[in-house]
Amino acid sequence: KLSHYKDSFLKNPEVWLDQPNSMFPDKLMSPPSTPLMVVDKSFHKAGTWFKPTTLSQLLSLLHEFKGECKIVVGNTEVGIETKFKHSIFPRLIAPSQSIGSIFSISEESDHLRIGSCVSLSTIQHKCSELIGIGGCFDRIAKPIHDMLRWFASTQIRNVASLGGNLATASPISDMNPMMACMNAKLIITSCNDEGVVTRRMVAVPEFFLSYRTVDLKPEEIVEAIEVPKAAPVFEYIVPFKQARRREDDISIVTSGMRIVLNPSTGGYIIAACSIAFGGLAPKTIVAKETEAFLKGKVLSMATFTDARKVLMKEVRLPDDVPGGQAQYRVTLASSFLHKFYYNIVEMLCSDLARISENADSFPHLSNLPEAPVVDEKERSASESFVDEVKPSTQGTQKFPKPKAYEGLESKMKEESMASKVLKAKEGKDEVGLPSTHASGPLHCTGEALYTDDIPLPPGSLHASLIMASTCNVKLLSIDSSLALDTPGVVAVYTYEDIQQLGGDNTLGPIKQDEFVFLPVGERVHFVGQVIGVCIAETLEASESGARATKIEYSEAAEKAIVSIEDAIEANSFYEFARHKIDRTSPSIIVDGDKVVEVSGTFRCGGQEHFYLETNSTLAVPSDACTDLTIFCSTQAVTKTQKYCASATNTPASKVVVRMKRMGGGFGGKETRSVFASCVASVAAKLSGKAVRLTLGRDVDMALTGGRHAFIAKYKASAVIKKDYSVKLNVLDVKLYSNGGCAFDLSGPVMDRALFHVDGPYYWPQFHAEGVPTQTVQPPHTAFRGFGGPQGLAACEHVIDHLADECGIPGNTMR
């Protein structure tokens, strides 16, 4: 395969790069010439798909269905609604690309017309071309291009459309404020009973009525967006965005700002401005009061300083605003306006230089005033990552040559065996050289088989978990009648079926305090706890059946213990795992020493493993269901064998667990994968069929726990000697971890934290105590470091606290 790659790709890279286009037949790549209707029968209530090929056909469908349908272009919104909200749409319309008015971009005399279904990537590339050409389109193309570079991810931009983004009306959308500040207008199109097409224009700011609500009737569609041209000089548009990370993240606050200047004898007058924000209200808003304040005033720092005060009053947020960070978000808006001033001055200086160099092109502009002066130290305020060059991701790996040392063999009179071997290999010494990973080529080509890739035996079934939707209540009843009526569903299994098998329904790596299936009458320990499993002929049918199962719960009798603080208040501990470490040495304090004491609390949050391959199991029964072969992604094949055998009442010698490769684990599959294998094994033994259970990412994250959150309450002291040197003295710390609703490995994790909480430092007086808390979270488990990072982080926090009190840098203290 590697030689084929070298012969084909390296010699003809163009052919390889064009593979995504050339691999499909032309008929499949070309839009259909006639409208299509496809009835999706892949699962129950899948819906009917329509693909109109003309605008009139599309409008007729919308008029006929009166809003009882969904338009799907990139499936970035509808896909979320169907997968995570389990929405059912009986009719879905996927417009054909042959409808030019919604799938094209054109440069008109006074505006740029963007079809509503044009992908964001296409818009970005078109704007990149317009930037290179220059002219009036340059000033609107650049801010659109710059903002789109950081919009979501490349995969999303390749399919998502601008019209869909506007119609979704997300209050933190990046493009909506941009379109609003550029005075863009939407062409809203519909037809009547006779098929007569009517159009109306709506300004983007007026399109957003309230949270996720727009001025669009059920039978209407956004046909296109018209973005007006900007003036060749003295009109400036700048995008702003702040998110927790630059790529593939929703914005905290986003903004688009536009300004038009008129030169006058006293400077530059602000003739018009538009300031739009996302992330400051339930919808995209325009700062009208700030715009009114700026209009007619001279461009200066003083003007914008006063405008920022007006803006902060205008966009003031209550402390309990959804999304939090009220003060930070308002401050971001103010900082955007501050940066906008520096951008204006920079671009104004650029315009003045261009006018001076090309005076013949601007005969009406002469004797222009100077731009406001900006101090050299402040010019960097105009910089932003939004318009910076976006670096490509790349990496290199270097292997140092192995060091060779003279050994005993070199002193032997006779020729050594090593030298003979070296000669046989024509002088190529392989000792210490890097070697290719055994599965490296398979990984690179995507041919490596993981558990979910294993071909299924004929007649195999798919499983989906039936999970608790609440916690801290009793499970009263399970009604699977509706699930069994779902087409394709074969069976629903619960704890009663394990009893019929004679299996053991309990499991746990140290303390058997967990259930394979939660029995009726037991307390629900956490949201997502497994109650049963639905198996069906298809994955979609099993998911539908699992959702159709009715679960009845009792009323919550007491407050749920969620956090470590809740557990401490309720005295909810795994007391048998409480351990202490004490060390007492002679005092180091002498006369004249100064003792510095500190106390406080350190908090360390949890962490999700986020392995690329979620928990997956394929259980295959054989020999009249007396044997089980289990293919799974796990770090614990022995535990998997033990509990699959006990749950199915099968001798362990007849349960074979196979684990070829694992797509990540990091400790998350050391114990938490076992329940999934037990569920699949029970279903396989009862049904007599091979059963595959692969958890969705959301399900895996909800059920499997993660790194333990910690709280450390400490008292510590240091001694400042007469020579001003500082010595550590006392550390008294109590550690609490959030173990979740079952013990799992919380005890050993806490023990490891206790062993590390003194760090690499010597504390003459050292007292540490640790205990895991019991909460209604999923059982937390092993994670790389296994408690060590939490203990070390707490210790380093104490060191910094002591250093601050002693008035010395932390590194000096260390």
Side-chain angles (χ1 to χ4, degrees):
K1 290 180 181 178
L2 291 175
S3 60
H4 174 69
Y5 161 79
K6 293 177 181 178
D7 293 338
S8 56
F9 174 71
L10 296 181
K11 292 180 180 179
N12 301 289
E14 294 81 8
V15 176
W16 277 65
L17 293 174
D18 191 54
Q19 188 180 6
N21 299 319
S22 61
M23 65 188 295
F24 297 109
D26 292 338
K27 289 185 178 180
L28 191 60
M29 294 294 289
S30 304
S33 56
T34 57
L36 299 176
M37 183 182 77
V38 178
V39 180
D40 189 352
K41 296 181 180 179
S42 60
F43 62 98
H44 188 47
K45 298 181 180 179
T48 301
W49 287 81
F50 298 86
K51 194 173 189 69
T53 56
T54 64
L55 181 62
S56 60
Q57 293 172 1
L58 172 60
L59 297 175
S60 296
L61 288 173
L62 291 174
H63 182 75
E64 177 184 351
F65 298 147
K66 300 296 182 184
E68 296 295 323
C69 62
K70 274 282 185 179
I71 297 178
V72 181
V73 177
N75 198 40
T76 56
E77 185 71 19
V78 175
I80 291 174
E81 293 180 12
T82 54
K83 180 172 177 60
F84 298 109
K85 299 180 181 178
H86 312 302
S87 301
I88 295 175
F89 302 109
R91 304 181 187 91
L92 300 110
I93 301 175
S96 169
Q97 292 191 3
S98 60
I99 308 176
S101 63
I102 61 176
F103 277 101
S104 62
I105 305 177
S106 58
E107 305 160 40
E108 306 299 332
S109 59
D110 61 345
H111 65 269
L112 180 68
R113 187 185 187 281
I114 304 173
S116 61
C117 294
V118 176
S119 71
L120 298 178
S121 288
T122 303
I123 299 172
Q124 180 185 343
H125 296 155
K126 179 65 177 179
C127 288
S128 180
E129 295 173 4
L130 294 175
I131 294 171
I133 295 172
C136 296
F137 285 115
D138 190 333
R139 303 214 162 193
I140 62 173
K142 188 177 188 309
I144 294 175
H145 170 270
D146 290 347
M147 185 63 93
L148 282 177
R149 289 189 312 155
W150 303 103
F151 188 104
S153 63
T154 302
Q155 293 89 340
I156 295 295
R157 292 194 298 272
N158 285 344
V159 295
S161 65
L162 182 57
N165 189 248
L166 288 161
T168 301
S170 170
I172 48 176
S173 166
D174 293 336
M175 290 306 296
N176 294 353
M178 281 298 305
M179 294 293 103
C181 85
M182 298 170 83
N183 291 336
K185 292 181 173 58
L186 306 181
I187 303 176
I188 310 295
T189 309
S190 62
C191 73
N192 57 18
D193 293 336
E194 288 74 34
V196 178
V197 177
T198 58
R199 292 179 172 88
R200 63 187 178 96
M201 303 287 286
V202 178
V204 170
E206 299 169 4
F207 183 64
F208 306 109
L209 303 178
S210 59
Y211 178 72
R212 299 277 185 173
T213 305
V214 295
D215 183 14
L216 192 68
K217 297 175 184 176
E219 65 275 10
E220 291 180 326
I221 186 177
V222 177
E223 184 179 357
I225 301 97
E226 293 184 354
V227 185
K229 278 184 179 179
V233 290
F234 304 145
E235 182 172 356
Y236 312 112
I237 304 165
V238 182
F240 297 96
K241 171 187 173 78
Q242 183 61 54
R244 287 169 179 81
R245 60 175 181 264
R246 293 187 177 184
E247 278 196 283
D248 202 12
D249 197 6
I250 56 177
S251 297
I252 301 170
V253 176
T254 179
S255 178
M257 300 186 185
R258 181 183 69 91
I259 196 168
V260 180
L261 302 178
N262 279 340
S264 68
T265 55
Y268 291 88
I269 306 300
I270 300 173
C273 65
S274 300
I275 302 172
F277 289 101
L280 296 177
K283 63 173 185 175
T284 299
I285 60 169
V286 175
K288 295 182 179 179
E289 294 178 18
T290 308
E291 291 177 358
F293 174 83
L294 286 170
K295 191 173 182 181
K297 290 188 170 55
V298 178
L299 175 69
S300 67
M301 174 56 77
T303 298
F304 271 75
T305 300
D306 292 338
R308 285 161 51 202
K309 297 176 182 177
V310 175
L311 177 64
M312 293 189 75
K313 291 181 180 179
E314 184 177 3
V315 299
R316 183 180 299 162
L317 297 173
D319 291 336
D320 60 348
V321 64
Q325 299 180 293
Q327 295 181 5
Y328 176 58
R329 286 154 67 181
V330 173
T331 304
L332 276 178
S334 174
S335 69
F336 287 166
L337 187 58
H338 182 64
K339 291 174 72 69
F340 185 44
Y341 170 76
Y342 290 101
N343 278 273
I344 295 169
V345 174
E346 183 180 323
M347 291 186 287
L348 176 59
C349 291
S350 178
D351 274 356
L352 293 176
R354 186 159 59 95
I355 293 170
S356 176
E357 294 170 1
N358 304 278
D360 295 340
S361 302
F362 303 94
H364 59 292
L365 297 175
S366 59
N367 300 321
L368 294 172
E370 295 290 328
V373 177
V374 174
D375 189 277
E376 185 70 28
K377 296 179 180 179
E378 297 178 351
R379 290 186 179 179
S380 62
S382 64
E383 297 176 1
S384 169
F385 78 89
V386 176
D387 59 356
E388 287 180 359
V389 176
K390 190 174 181 180
S392 60
T393 302
Q394 56 183 329
T396 58
Q397 187 174 9
K398 295 181 179 179
F399 298 95
K401 291 183 179 179
K403 294 181 179 179
Y405 296 96
E406 188 175 291
L408 291 175
E409 287 190 346
S410 63
K411 299 178 181 179
M412 295 172 62
K413 293 181 179 181
E414 296 181 6
E415 186 177 12
S416 68
M417 180 62 68
S419 62
K420 292 179 181 178
V421 172
L422 189 59
K423 286 181 180 179
K425 293 190 175 183
E426 299 178 352
K428 295 180 181 178
D429 190 356
E430 297 180 2
V431 176
L433 294 179
S435 58
T436 304
H437 188 285
S439 298
L442 297 178
H443 288 153
C444 292
T445 59
E447 295 173 278
L449 286 182
Y450 291 86
T451 304
D452 197 49
D453 302 320
I454 298 173
L456 293 176
S460 296
L461 301 175
H462 298 264
S464 291
L465 300 177
I466 301 169
M467 299 174 292
S469 58
T470 185
C471 67
N472 208 37
V473 295
K474 278 190 176 183
L475 176 64
L476 298 182
S477 66
I478 306 169
D479 184 0
S480 59
S481 56
L482 288 177
L484 295 172
D485 289 339
T486 303
V489 170
V490 174
V492 171
Y493 299 127
T494 64
Y495 77 103
E496 293 178 340
D497 298 287
I498 292 182
Q499 289 179 337
Q500 291 179 5
L501 276 175
D504 186 351
N505 192 34
T506 62
L507 68 159
I510 297 176
K511 187 171 185 268
Q512 290 189 316
D513 54 353
E514 300 180 58
F515 297 107
V516 178
F517 297 134
L518 184 68
V520 170
E522 288 286 341
R523 174 175 164 268
V524 180
H525 296 96
F526 68 98
V527 175
Q529 186 164 10
V530 180
I531 295 174
V533 62
C534 177
I535 58 172
E537 297 168 354
T538 64
L539 177 61
E540 292 81 7
S542 68
E543 290 176 344
S544 297
R547 291 195 296 271
T549 303
K550 290 187 176 181
I551 309 296
E552 186 181 356
Y553 309 96
S554 68
E555 294 293 328
E558 55 189 18
K559 177 185 174 183
I561 300 171
V562 180
S563 65
I564 298 176
E565 290 87 348
D566 293 340
I568 294 173
E569 182 181 348
N571 202 31
S572 178
F573 303 116
Y574 292 103
E575 279 294 344
F576 62 89
R578 185 187 294 270
H579 290 149
K580 298 179 181 180
I581 298 177
D582 288 304
R583 180 176 65 240
T584 302
S585 300
S587 175
I588 63 172
I589 303 172
V590 298
D591 291 341
D593 290 348
K594 180 182 177 182
V595 179
V596 177
E597 297 181 346
V598 298
S599 63
T601 302
F602 168 78
R603 289 176 173 82
C604 177
Q607 187 181 6
E608 169 61 31
H609 297 90
F610 211 79
Y611 27 70
L612 292 183
E613 180 195 22
T614 61
N615 279 288
S616 181
T617 295
L618 171 62
V620 182
S622 60
D623 198 11
C625 296
T626 59
D627 292 0
L628 279 173
T629 302
I630 299 164
F631 303 86
C632 61
S633 177
T634 183
Q635 294 174 266
V637 289
T638 302
K639 292 188 186 76
T640 302
Q641 180 196 43
K642 173 183 176 181
Y643 287 107
C644 288
S646 66
T648 58
N649 193 20
T650 304
S653 60
K654 292 182 174 292
V655 177
V656 176
V657 179
R658 299 184 61 183
M659 214 293 294
K660 172 66 175 178
R661 60 173 54 87
M662 183 169 45
F666 321 114
K669 294 174 182 174
E670 192 172 324
T671 59
R672 303 315 305 162
S673 62
V674 175
F675 80 94
S677 297
C678 289
V679 168
S681 299
V682 169
K685 180 143 188 178
L686 287 166
S687 64
K689 304 276 188 177
V691 173
R692 170 177 283 163
L693 172 62
T694 299
L695 303 187
R697 176 65 63 187
D698 56 325
V699 175
D700 191 285
M701 292 179 69
L703 269 62
T704 57
R707 189 188 292 280
H708 289 72
F710 266 68
I711 284 181
K713 297 185 176 183
Y714 62 88
K715 293 179 182 179
S717 69
V719 178
I720 302 177
K721 296 291 186 178
K722 292 180 181 180
D723 60 356
Y724 299 105
S725 63
V726 180
K727 299 292 184 181
L728 298 178
N729 185 32
V730 175
L731 175 60
D732 187 350
V733 60
K734 291 185 178 180
L735 298 179
Y736 303 91
S737 67
N738 194 327
C741 64
F743 189 64
D744 197 79
L745 299 175
S746 296
V749 168
M750 175 56 73
D751 293 344
R752 183 77 172 270
L754 285 171
F755 293 144
H756 285 69
V757 76
D758 58 344
Y761 313 107
Y762 174 66
W763 304 83
Q765 312 291 327
F766 175 62
H767 312 282
E769 179 180 330
V771 61
T773 63
Q774 187 170 15
T775 65
V776 294
Q777 294 188 18
H780 294 298
T781 189
F783 203 123
R784 282 195 171 178
F786 205 75
Q790 293 96 314
L792 288 169
C795 180
E796 295 300 334
H797 174 82
V798 175
I799 293 290
D800 284 332
H801 195 173
L802 276 172
D804 287 342
E805 289 296 318
C806 292
I808 61 174
N811 287 341
T812 302
M813 171 68 81
R814 291 178 174 89

